[in-house]
Amino acid sequence: MTDASTKQVQPRKQGLSRTQKRALSRGAQYALFVAAVVALAVSADWARLKNQFAQADLAEQMFPEIITLALKNTVLYTLSGFVFGLVLGMVIALMRLSPVGPYRWVAGIYIEIFRGLPALLIFIFVGVAVPLAFPGTEIPGGTYGKVALALGLVSAAYMAETIRAGIQAVPKGQMEAARSLGFSHARAMVSIIIPQAFRIVIPPLTNELVLLFKDSSLVLFLGVTLEERELAKYGRDLASQTANSTPILVAGLCYLLVTVPLGFVVRRLETKAGEATR
Amino acid sequence: MSGRVSDGTEDMRVPEIEVRDLYKSFGDNEVLRGIDLEIGQGEVVCVIGPSGSGKSTLLRCVNLLEEPTKGQVFVGGTEVTHPDVDIDEVRRRIGMVFQQFNLFPHLTVTENLTLPQRRVLKRDKAQAARVAAENLERVGLSEKANAYPSSLSGGQQQRVAIARALAMGPEVMLFDEPTSALDPELVGDVLAVMRRLANEGMTMMVVTHEMTFAREVADRVVFMDGGVIVEEGTPARVITNPAHERTRHFLSRLLDPAMADVEEESAHEAEGEGEKPHRPN
């Protein structure tokens, strides 16, 4: 016993103290970082990189079309998918909370399936499988309709779970108060519960909007006309035409132009919601 | 106060609330075990009893927030428990006030009063607004008309909740421990509003721990324990001079020190059994 304890103490006395060790370890990490940056800076072919990624005239050529066409389409695809997904998600959330068993099961199965599948597969399904399986069926709205359907199907599954959680987060007393005033269950849901639930789910739904904004790039796999191109497709087309990566970089910046502020808004909303519930 | 007979036994008119042989179980837990109760028009009945005695459940069975396992409830001659009854229609005639107020936090005070009128009673905007203003005045909160519930004190919120129920023009008011969630200094305002309501002749069923209120305002006091009505009668009879051991025991633990001398005797008797309020030393 005493042996063990002295053995434990001794090495520390001979070696470094804990603070010293920590300082050493941190120093090593800084050194590694600086070394990596320097190695990268030295080894990189800057002229070539500049030529590949930052050709100012090529970037200039992209304006204003990348905004007026590509970004506009990205926004349109995202919003149409979001609205469709929100409506469908709302219905599925209410089915999930229904006292009728089969509704709950159908909603549960839907959610499991569409959360478990890659979004890309859904796009391929909507773009290729549906027209093949049901010849002559035309999804209304052309590409816009297809994208709204594909994005909506995917996002509805996530939004349904978010909305369900939001509805369940509204205190039980609210429903009881509404019922005691003579509201029917459905009317109480619409007038009292859902408005409160939406306040709760605005931050996660905005987050979902950001995800959809990025997922709209999967339109790439649907085959679109020139006028229907969105940011990713637009950037890729130009990149292959010019054999240069600058358009990709510019398209990427356009995404960030929207996603970064939106992400900021989400965090603000979350903080505010956190304060409100305290 | 309401000029009603307070012998609490027989009543000539059709009772406003009638409960017949009511049972309620939650799973294996039998909360109500055969309740019979009549409340006459304009009568104020306070239901008292230890927590878990089933008094809140009884109250919630009157407007069917809880569905009874067995038995019947009548309100204003309508059988609430009848399978074909339009419960939403019946509930419009029954106002309810909750322990936790349950105001709608996303609406202003006025909107809390107008939305139910408009959605449920289909009143037009002007009429709903007028009724809302009248009832806010009734509870002394006209100046808070445009405030949100979160900016009000608990006592103010509860008074708004009472005004919200009154705006629907109910025949009966149910109160489920309306002052239990309030800081002591805010209880008085709420009780004052309830007292005024009682004086105006409203039929009221009040689950409460406020013995002073029960003593002064109630026509009748009902003491419940273990899912049954142990005794009922005038406040003077039940509170000041309880006939049953269980009532005495309950009251001795509840009454504040100022009342202790009145109850001293029974309090000491009650301490002989069960959990004790304070150890005899």
Side-chain angles (χ1 to χ4, degrees):
Chain A
M1 290 288 228
T2 16
D3 271 5
S5 61
T6 41
K7 261 179 198 166
Q8 271 176 357
V9 174
Q10 269 175 349
R12 192 188 286 172
K13 275 185 177 172
Q14 286 169 347
L16 297 163
S17 77
R18 262 217 330 252
T19 341
Q20 281 171 320
K21 272 187 192 163
R22 201 182 297 157
L24 196 67
S25 146
R26 191 157 300 171
Q29 289 176 48
Y30 277 119
L32 186 67
F33 179 74
V34 170
V37 169
V38 168
L40 207 68
V42 171
S43 65
D45 183 345
W46 285 106
R48 186 183 159 80
L49 280 180
K50 183 168 183 293
N51 187 41
Q52 259 304 312
F53 283 107
Q55 283 204 8
D57 54 330
L58 203 58
E60 253 180 62
Q61 267 179 43
M62 299 173 73
F63 289 92
E65 214 185 18
I66 191 166
I67 305 289
T68 58
L69 179 85
L71 182 59
K72 184 198 80 181
N73 274 335
T74 294
V75 169
L76 278 179
Y77 290 144
T78 307
L79 288 183
S80 55
F82 186 75
V83 169
F84 180 62
L86 190 61
V87 172
L88 186 60
M90 186 81 234
V91 172
I92 293 170
L94 289 175
M95 284 171 72
R96 195 101 162 88
L97 294 169
S98 164
V100 183
Y103 281 169
R104 282 200 308 276
W105 306 330
V106 168
I109 291 167
Y110 179 93
I111 290 167
E112 289 308 322
I113 288 178
F114 281 88
R115 280 202 310 190
L117 289 176
L120 178 54
L121 198 82
I122 314 287
F123 268 83
I124 294 170
F125 182 78
V126 168
V128 182
V130 170
L132 282 180
F134 311 98
T137 46
E138 192 61 43
I139 294 168
T143 305
Y144 291 96
K146 283 186 198 166
V147 176
L149 182 64
L151 282 181
L153 286 174
V154 179
S155 61
Y158 291 94
M159 289 203 256
E161 281 297 84
T162 305
I163 293 167
R164 179 191 57 78
I167 288 173
Q168 286 179 328
V170 176
K172 226 177 124 206
Q174 293 290 310
M175 179 55 95
E176 288 186 349
R179 293 309 301 271
S180 78
L181 288 161
F183 282 81
S184 68
H185 183 88
R187 202 177 276 284
M189 265 289 172
V190 172
S191 302
I192 308 294
I193 307 298
I194 290 174
Q196 291 184 57
F198 261 94
R199 264 148 227 252
I200 298 169
V201 299
I202 280 174
L205 284 188
T206 313
N207 223 354
E208 185 62 30
L209 187 65
V210 173
L211 292 177
L212 277 186
F213 190 75
K214 295 185 290 178
D215 281 351
S216 67
S217 61
L218 295 168
V219 174
L220 199 65
F221 294 89
L222 280 184
V224 294
T225 66
L226 286 180
E227 284 71 40
E228 290 168 350
R229 287 180 300 172
E230 43 64 67
L231 283 172
K233 172 88 170 144
Y234 186 85
R236 198 187 80 144
D237 284 2
L238 266 183
S240 39
Q241 270 169 40
T242 57
N244 189 283
S245 305
T246 307
I248 304 281
L249 193 83
V250 176
L253 287 176
C254 285
Y255 276 110
L256 293 176
L257 207 67
V258 174
T259 52
V260 170
L262 264 182
F264 182 74
V265 167
V266 172
R267 280 190 297 280
R268 278 291 300 275
L269 289 172
E270 276 169 351
T271 323
K272 259 177 81 177
E275 279 166 7
T277 50
R278 254 190 300 152
Chain B
M1 42 248 42
S2 48
R4 295 213 44 78
V5 284
S6 47
D7 58 19
T9 45
E10 289 307 309
D11 198 271
M12 305 302 228
R13 284 183 259 178
V14 176
E16 188 62 43
I17 300 175
E18 188 180 354
V19 176
R20 278 193 209 152
D21 198 29
L22 195 73
Y23 286 79
K24 172 68 184 175
S25 303
F26 295 103
D28 292 340
N29 185 16
E30 197 166 44
V31 180
L32 297 179
R33 299 185 293 167
I35 302 281
D36 287 285
L37 182 67
E38 282 184 15
I39 298 179
Q41 223 172 46
E43 202 181 3
V44 176
V45 172
C46 283
V47 183
I48 62 171
S51 58
S53 59
K55 54 194 194 303
S56 281
T57 306
L58 171 62
L59 192 78
R60 291 162 60 87
C61 280
V62 172
N63 67 351
L64 231 61
L65 279 185
E66 301 293 353
E67 206 147 335
T69 315
K70 203 183 113 195
Q72 288 171 303
V73 176
F74 297 85
V75 175
T78 312
E79 192 194 337
V80 178
T81 40
H82 194 279
D84 295 335
V85 82
D86 177 359
I87 189 61
D88 296 331
E89 194 278 320
V90 177
R91 281 181 180 144
R92 279 168 220 167
R93 299 192 265 131
I94 310 171
M96 181 153 186
V97 175
F98 298 85
Q99 183 178 354
Q100 297 297 338
F101 331 133
N102 294 348
L103 291 180
F104 306 134
H106 62 302
L107 303 176
T108 65
V109 165
T110 297
E111 287 164 350
N112 262 278
L113 271 70
T114 52
L115 185 79
Q117 293 183 60
R118 300 199 58 201
R119 292 281 184 280
V120 176
L121 302 178
K122 311 291 180 199
R123 286 181 183 155
D124 65 42
K125 212 171 173 176
Q127 196 194 0
R130 190 171 50 72
V131 174
E134 278 169 18
N135 282 290
L136 279 182
E137 171 132 39
R138 218 166 155 187
V139 299
L141 285 172
S142 299
E143 80 276 15
K144 297 291 184 188
N146 297 313
Y148 279 91
S150 57
S151 69
L152 303 182
S153 74
Q156 290 171 332
Q157 288 190 49
Q158 194 58 297
R159 282 147 68 198
V160 172
I162 294 172
R164 179 176 68 179
L166 290 176
M168 306 298 280
E171 300 161 14
V172 178
M173 286 285 284
L174 308 176
F175 292 85
D176 189 2
E177 303 199 25
T179 56
S180 297
L182 298 177
D183 291 337
E185 74 269 22
L186 302 174
V187 169
D189 288 341
V190 172
L191 291 182
V193 167
M194 290 170 63
R195 195 181 295 255
R196 208 171 322 130
L197 203 56
N199 289 338
E200 288 167 13
M202 177 64 77
T203 309
M204 292 164 63
M205 184 170 172
V206 186
V207 170
T208 187
H209 291 296
E210 294 291 334
M211 287 308 128
T212 314
F213 177 83
R215 192 195 299 265
E216 291 173 8
V217 181
D219 296 309
R220 192 147 49 103
V221 171
V222 172
F223 173 72
M224 283 181 69
D225 194 10
V228 296
I229 292 176
V230 177
E231 63 178 307
E232 60 180 303
T234 61
R237 240 247 325 108
V238 177
I239 299 178
T240 317
N241 190 18
H244 285 258
E245 181 61 37
R246 279 196 276 178
T247 317
R248 254 174 272 152
H249 182 60
F250 168 73
L251 289 168
S252 73
R253 297 176 57 174
L254 191 73
L255 289 172
D256 54 12
M259 297 289 168
D261 54 330
V262 185
E263 307 298 330
E264 201 168 31
E265 207 177 337
S266 47
H268 282 168
E269 278 173 54
E271 269 179 12
E273 45 144 5
E275 291 168 56
K276 295 164 185 114
H278 25 247
R279 291 178 193 288
N281 36 9

